[in-house]
Amino acid sequence: MLKPVRTFRGGYEFKNFNGQARPVIIENQLPAMVTIPLKQGFGTELKSMVKKGDVVFAGQTIARDDSVVSSPIHSSVNGVVEEVRRVNYFKRQTAMVIIRTTNASKEIPRIEGCSLDWARLSNEKIEELIYLSGVSSLDREGIPTRFKSSIIPPEEVKHLIVHGVGSEPYNISLELLLKDKNLLNFLEGVKILKRIMPNSKVHLSLNVKKKNIIEQVAKLTSQLEWLDIYPLEPKYPQGYDEMLVPTILNQNFPYGYSAANIGVVILNIQAVLGVYEAVCEGKPFIERIIAICGPSIKDNLHIKVRVGTSLKDILAQRVKIETPVRVVMNSLLTGFQLNDISLPVDRTFSHVIAIPEKREREFLSFMKPGKTKDSYTRAFLAEMLPWVKRSPDTNKHGEERPCISCGFCERTCPVKIIPHLLAKYVQRNLIDETIMNYGIFNCIECGLCSYVCPSKISLMKIIKDGQDKLTMQGCDSAQCILPYFNLKGIEEYRGVTKL
Amino acid sequence: MRIIKNVIDNLNGLMQKNKYLKTFKPVMNAMDEFFFGTDKVTSLPHIVDNMDIKRLMSFVIIALLPVTIASIYFWGLRVLLVIAVSYAFGGLIEVCFAIFRKKEIHEGFLVTGLIFPLILPPGVPLWVVAVGSMFGVMFGKEVFGGTGRNIFNPAIAGRIFLTIAFPDIMTMHWQMPFSKGLGGFIHFQNTVDAVTTATPLVMFKNQGVIAPYLNLMFGQSAGCIGETFRIGIILGGLFLIVMRIVDWRLPLAYLATVVIFPYISNHLIHTQFALGGFQLLSGGLLLGAFFMATDPVTSPFTKQGRWIAGFLLGFLTVLIRGLSGYVEGVMFSILLINAFTPLIDTMVLKVRYKKK
């Protein structure tokens, strides 16, 4: 059923950034060498089942452990294992299997037992297919199956939220993901998920500006009474689990824990498509669609790559090299900076963003009309010219100054805390229960406060420091959450990874 | 652009050599930053807003421009001199403190230096401007630790100091504005009927006369340099609100209270309290409500606090105008509420984050 438009208080809409990926997809050529991390997405790191010299084929399981919370990991090419070693991967030492491609065939063998007529398959079989394909490790808490792929079993899921809001400055194209047959596949995927989580209600949230897609989906799902469609304002950080739960379910979120703890599973559209492909086509999840965005890219489009392809293979030829560039993974506000381009992509990559690293100083920059400058205030010309694309860069655009309590950070904060107040407490080292009471542990690290601050204070970082210091003093976010929530599955491994 | 760069580079070179000149480093840095911006890059988030304090302050100045230009028309070119003196002497204190503290110079003074002359009487002697500007910056801001830490609005602090120290100069000498032809644009100052009139508020207090609203709106009345061209103030204030630089809650609460509250008090003692419309368009109310009470540093930062402060400001303004010997209700009420700002915020936070 189509529901009225919803949104939340605070937040900020990033409009019209230059370098949005076109809804076009090309396949990247098979890499000569892949590096496959043994921890991808949600779950513990696994032990390699292959060793140096082993011959592997694309889609072969190279790591699996049913006794811990995890999902299997596959080889993404046909080849020979060169080495298994530990590499620093996003600030974490992670074991990697390095495979040299020997056979350039693009064929991927199917997982046994898949069927286009999935309604005939038993629940056990469907769950097994989802688990074996590796899709179950996607998103923050994975997809629950009878294997330990999430912290809660499937029957405990009360709500399943599928989101394609796209509230970041750069988003993967919804039109592309749900093009033609994919839309039907996606809806099949939703039905499959509903089947394995029988007690759940499905909530589909889409960007309110994509009217076509909403209409189509609404038409196709009018018969399903367990499915609701919510058009949401694309205000950052609407795509966060912490914001989706309050906006859609009118429920408080246990900040610092995951949605799964309150029986909610949140998946994005690629994950649901992956479920369909796993169950109906038997495809292991070794390919990923990545949006290549940002003004420093020659041609902004989407590419389909094998998991384990190094960033070098993706970015070579695509990045403008005339000026220095900063490459960021997934989100311009919270994503990791990718300094080492020999690192591989894993299942969790969805965007690679390249923006100019602008160290040059700009003459009288504060007096410029600002045709391409984005700002929370309306004090730039860009606000009046909606057709002009705004160009982001990494310059700070101003000197750090003392806080003047302008209140921008409070007005944009999605979780209703007062960042500048907390930052003042932390900077003066007044770290005690007061700031816990002011909700310092509610911070979801979306980075909006640091973004809007005209005094260029790194509020997010200061608040995070405050949290760490407070934790060292023995105060924990658990004290704010546990007395008020009845959480599930917290004795299990907590794999909440804040990237 | 290259010329400025050369000048700054040369001066920097000189400073490196001379030990005494080195103390002026903050001035050079401020100039350098003013012209060329920053070369620092972000860490996380990777992009930040293009707004900075310089542009924020420039927009307040832009919003004040119509008023400033109109005041030159009304009171003559001497206004420019008054503004220059205010900037020079206030800036001097700012620079001294920056050198003394070895910190950089902050942009907050750009606004204070312009607002302060706008709330002085047109005939004010220049030495009084200098004293007031220095006092305001020093005791209104710097002694508390500089921009962002001050309790009182520096312009208000300076003005109140002058009112109390030199009552004769500050409250007795009012002029009628130019109203014909090019007016003040070609005259240095108004000499014809200077010192002959009183401000509309004083006229009401003494004789019960209410000036025509249209005259008040377009500046044809006696008053401080920048407070009489009220249509310009309203436009400037709305401009800041539309630009999201100023929050609309406090001015709205303030002005609404000033309009509504006198209707009640007028019933009780109608010789003391003028009606709301006149209250709204007289004195420095509009300038105070849009540009001084909303100063983010000295007004409450919580939304509820802004409503409360606005209401209290309006209440106090009407009371002071009606019942005290002074007519400067706006100025005194802003100073008082500035002092109460931390308390208001604390109370609001106490209620909002009550322990469950």
Side-chain angles (χ1 to χ4, degrees):
Chain A
M1 204 170 63
L2 190 61
K3 296 268 176 155
V5 182
R6 293 194 182 190
T7 188
F8 61 98
R9 269 181 73 183
Y12 172 61
E13 190 182 338
F14 292 100
K15 279 179 246 159
N16 214 1
F17 271 56
N18 185 15
Q20 229 30 282
R22 293 186 285 130
V24 170
I25 189 161
I26 56 167
E27 210 153 318
N28 217 36
Q29 66 195 72
L30 270 191
M33 193 84 93
V34 289
T35 312
I36 296 173
L38 291 179
K39 171 179 167 38
Q40 294 187 27
F42 178 73
T44 31
E45 190 183 312
L46 297 173
K47 283 206 181 67
S48 168
M49 285 156 51
V50 290
K51 56 186 188 301
K52 191 177 169 183
D54 284 2
V55 177
V56 291
F57 60 87
Q60 181 184 336
T61 309
I62 55 171
R64 175 179 175 178
D65 189 345
D66 286 359
S67 63
V68 294
V69 177
S70 65
S71 297
I73 284 168
H74 316 91
S75 161
S76 59
V77 289
N78 305 317
V80 183
V81 177
E82 285 271 296
E83 204 182 352
V84 181
R85 67 179 153 117
R86 300 190 84 78
V87 175
N88 190 350
Y89 191 55
F90 297 123
K91 296 183 183 161
R92 199 193 299 246
Q93 286 292 326
T94 309
M96 304 265 187
V97 177
I98 295 160
I99 301 167
R100 184 161 47 82
T101 314
T102 48
N103 179 352
S105 155
K106 288 205 167 171
E107 206 101 325
I108 302 169
R110 287 163 181 241
I111 309 173
E112 267 172 51
C114 66
S115 162
L116 273 174
D117 190 12
W118 60 269
R120 293 250 197 95
L121 296 175
S122 63
N123 270 11
E124 289 87 16
K125 188 69 204 166
I126 292 178
E127 284 175 35
E128 193 189 341
L129 282 166
I130 292 176
Y131 177 69
L132 285 180
S133 70
V135 169
S136 54
S137 67
L138 287 182
D139 281 325
R140 233 172 90 183
E141 294 292 294
I143 302 174
T145 59
R146 64 193 59 219
F147 303 90
K148 285 189 169 178
S149 60
S150 181
I151 53 172
I152 49 170
E155 58 278 5
E156 273 192 26
V157 179
K158 277 193 248 132
H159 299 280
L160 170 68
I161 298 176
V162 180
H163 78 91
V165 185
S167 60
E168 301 268 349
Y170 291 108
N171 300 300
I172 200 160
S173 161
L174 210 57
E175 288 90 348
L176 179 89
L177 285 181
L178 297 179
K179 204 163 71 179
D180 311 333
K181 219 171 112 263
N182 275 359
L183 180 62
L184 299 174
N185 294 353
F186 167 72
L187 293 174
E188 288 299 297
V190 173
K191 284 177 195 160
I192 294 169
L193 286 168
K194 167 71 183 170
R195 164 109 177 260
I196 63 166
M197 299 176 226
N199 302 326
S200 68
K201 199 158 170 21
V202 182
H203 309 267
L204 193 55
S205 61
L206 294 164
N207 187 337
V208 68
K209 301 215 164 129
K210 315 270 179 188
K211 294 235 159 51
N212 286 342
I213 293 174
I214 293 178
E215 247 168 56
Q216 278 182 39
V217 173
K219 212 184 287 167
L220 287 167
T221 57
S222 54
Q223 307 291 323
L224 308 173
E225 79 285 351
W226 44 264
L227 185 135
D228 286 332
I229 302 161
Y230 297 84
L232 299 182
E233 296 271 350
K235 235 175 14 173
Y236 182 82
Q238 181 68 78
Y240 275 51
D241 297 5
E242 287 90 342
M243 297 327 296
L244 285 166
V245 169
T247 5
I248 292 181
L249 306 176
N250 291 324
Q251 213 172 324
N252 288 331
F253 194 91
Y255 298 110
Y257 290 82
S258 80
N261 292 124
I262 50 171
V264 180
V265 168
I266 298 174
L267 298 173
N268 64 29
I269 286 176
Q270 270 209 72
V272 177
L273 284 169
V275 166
Y276 170 83
E277 281 169 3
V279 176
C280 297
E281 295 166 6
K283 251 172 87 179
F285 202 81
I286 57 172
E287 277 182 330
R288 185 82 186 160
I289 297 173
I290 296 178
I292 308 286
C293 321
S296 286
I297 298 281
K298 283 176 194 157
D299 187 12
N300 297 108
L301 37 65
H302 297 75
I303 54 170
K304 201 178 215 177
V305 292
R306 293 286 167 97
V307 167
T309 310
S310 74
L311 284 163
K312 203 168 22 178
D313 289 346
I314 296 174
L315 293 175
Q317 317 296 331
R318 289 207 171 90
V319 176
K320 293 177 189 160
I321 42 167
E322 300 88 64
T323 49
V325 169
R326 185 185 295 193
V327 182
V328 177
M329 166 193 169
N330 288 356
S331 162
L332 270 186
L333 279 108
T334 56
F336 266 106
Q337 184 175 345
L338 303 169
N339 292 322
D340 182 359
I341 58 163
S342 66
L343 288 179
V345 298
D346 70 8
R347 286 172 191 161
T348 61
F349 270 60
S350 57
H351 305 74
V352 173
I353 305 158
I355 54 173
E357 181 91 298
K358 196 170 157 240
R359 285 179 193 277
E360 300 105 75
R361 313 176 70 183
E362 201 179 341
F363 184 63
L364 285 179
S365 63
F366 72 99
M367 287 188 183
K368 298 261 169 76
K371 223 172 90 180
T372 60
K373 291 181 172 178
D374 183 69
S375 172
Y376 169 73
T377 60
R378 303 204 182 92
F380 289 88
L381 200 57
E383 192 65 34
M384 272 171 266
L385 308 171
W387 60 89
V388 176
K389 294 240 192 296
R390 303 171 186 192
S391 53
D393 57 51
T394 62
N395 195 281
K396 272 201 149 178
H397 308 296
E399 287 78 31
E400 197 166 309
R401 288 283 181 253
C403 173
I404 56 163
S405 318
C406 61
F408 291 176
C409 50
E410 189 193 345
R411 278 194 256 169
T412 50
C413 183
V415 293
K416 299 182 192 109
I417 56 179
I418 308 176
H420 70 92
L421 182 74
L422 292 172
K424 278 171 196 158
Y425 272 90
V426 174
Q427 280 175 328
R428 286 170 203 171
N429 230 356
L430 297 167
I431 291 163
D432 53 20
E433 282 184 353
T434 323
I435 52 172
M436 197 165 91
N437 200 19
Y438 287 165
I440 193 166
F441 285 118
N442 291 3
C443 178
I444 57 172
E445 287 167 38
C446 67
L448 258 187
C449 47
S450 301
Y451 180 82
V452 297
C453 183
S455 292
K456 311 293 168 195
I457 302 167
S458 309
L459 290 161
M460 177 168 76
K461 199 169 154 284
I462 297 169
I463 290 175
K464 219 174 157 208
D465 286 352
Q467 286 180 344
D468 292 347
K469 282 184 190 163
L470 205 55
T471 312
M472 270 197 285
Q473 290 184 7
C475 296
D476 199 334
S477 58
Q479 295 169 15
C480 312
I481 299 300
L482 292 185
Y484 310 107
F485 288 90
N486 180 19
L487 298 182
K488 297 165 186 163
I490 36 175
E491 67 285 351
E492 288 276 359
Y493 161 75
R494 279 198 54 221
V496 183
T497 41
K498 279 194 172 172
L499 278 180
Chain B
M1 176 185 164
R2 192 160 295 157
I3 302 167
I4 300 169
K5 181 109 201 133
N6 281 341
V7 170
I8 289 179
D9 283 349
N10 284 339
L11 284 175
N12 263 333
L14 266 177
M15 274 186 191
Q16 292 298 326
K17 284 177 210 145
N18 192 320
K19 211 166 69 183
Y20 297 103
L21 280 176
K22 233 180 199 169
T23 45
F24 290 97
K25 194 87 181 131
V27 187
M28 285 312 297
N29 287 346
M31 261 171 67
D32 193 38
E33 285 170 354
F34 181 87
F35 284 114
F36 296 106
T38 183
D39 57 350
K40 291 204 179 72
V41 288
T42 54
S43 54
L44 203 71
H46 298 284
I47 48 171
V48 293
D49 205 293
N50 283 283
M51 195 66 180
D52 67 341
I53 294 290
K54 283 196 196 77
R55 194 173 176 94
L56 202 83
M57 296 299 172
S58 324
F59 266 69
V60 181
I61 289 175
I62 290 173
L64 282 170
L65 273 185
V67 182
T68 315
I69 292 166
S71 66
I72 297 170
Y73 175 79
F74 291 138
W75 314 113
L77 293 168
R78 187 167 175 275
V79 168
L80 286 176
L81 204 60
V82 175
I83 292 172
V85 169
S86 158
Y87 267 124
F89 284 86
L92 189 71
I93 297 290
E94 183 90 25
V95 168
C96 288
F97 270 88
I99 290 171
F100 180 66
R101 289 210 185 98
K102 298 193 171 61
K103 290 257 174 73
E104 61 272 59
I105 297 169
H106 296 153
E107 289 84 5
F109 178 68
L110 290 177
V111 172
T112 312
L114 183 60
I115 287 189
F116 179 67
L118 293 184
I119 55 172
L120 296 176
V124 62
L126 292 179
W127 65 270
V128 173
V129 181
V131 170
S133 178
M134 284 160 80
F135 181 91
V137 174
M138 187 131 91
F139 292 99
K141 186 164 77 176
E142 295 299 344
V143 288
F144 295 106
T147 312
R149 298 182 178 194
N150 46 325
I151 298 171
F152 300 111
N153 187 321
I156 294 279
R159 165 76 210 237
I160 290 207
F161 166 72
L162 292 182
T163 311
I164 292 169
F166 313 108
D168 183 51
I169 296 169
M170 296 301 289
T171 55
M172 306 302 281
H173 301 263
W174 301 102
Q175 311 172 351
M176 276 310 282
F178 287 110
S179 56
K180 292 196 188 75
L182 283 171
F185 291 137
I186 47 169
H187 291 92
F188 183 64
Q189 73 185 94
N190 198 344
T191 49
V192 192
D193 39 20
V195 208
T196 52
T197 183
T199 62
L201 273 174
V202 175
M203 301 238 277
F204 174 79
K205 209 173 187 85
N206 297 342
Q207 299 149 27
V209 182
I210 287 188
Y213 288 178
L214 215 61
N215 281 2
L216 290 173
M217 200 70 171
F218 289 95
Q220 286 309 312
S221 68
C224 293
I225 293 175
E227 73 181 24
T228 57
F229 188 57
R230 297 197 167 79
I231 185 88
I233 300 173
I234 294 171
L235 289 178
L238 291 180
F239 170 75
L240 286 186
I241 289 171
V242 168
M243 289 289 162
R244 277 194 185 150
I245 287 170
V246 154
D247 193 64
W248 51 273
R249 291 175 181 85
L250 201 154
L252 180 71
Y254 190 175
L255 298 177
T257 317
V258 170
V259 173
I260 296 161
F261 175 55
Y263 279 100
I264 305 159
S265 43
N266 190 273
H267 269 290
L268 302 173
I269 335 169
H270 71 259
T271 49
Q272 297 289 334
F273 295 100
L275 279 174
F278 177 72
Q279 297 264 16
L280 188 69
L281 293 175
S282 58
L285 179 69
L286 288 167
L287 193 65
F290 282 119
F291 289 94
M292 285 183 287
T294 55
D295 170 20
V297 183
T298 55
S299 63
F301 56 79
T302 52
K303 285 171 193 163
Q304 296 84 343
R306 284 176 179 159
W307 286 111
I308 296 169
F311 167 73
L312 288 175
L313 279 167
F315 187 69
L316 278 176
T317 303
V318 175
L319 277 190
I320 293 174
R321 279 181 175 181
L323 299 177
S324 81
Y326 286 99
V327 290
E328 289 87 349
V330 176
M331 189 171 84
F332 283 112
S333 56
I334 291 178
L335 193 82
L336 270 172
I337 297 304
N338 279 351
F340 278 102
T341 293
L343 182 68
I344 294 172
D345 273 337
T346 313
M347 301 304 279
V348 170
L349 291 179
K350 273 246 163 76
V351 173
R352 195 191 293 179
Y353 297 105
K354 209 187 275 172
K355 280 223 174 77
K356 279 165 232 162

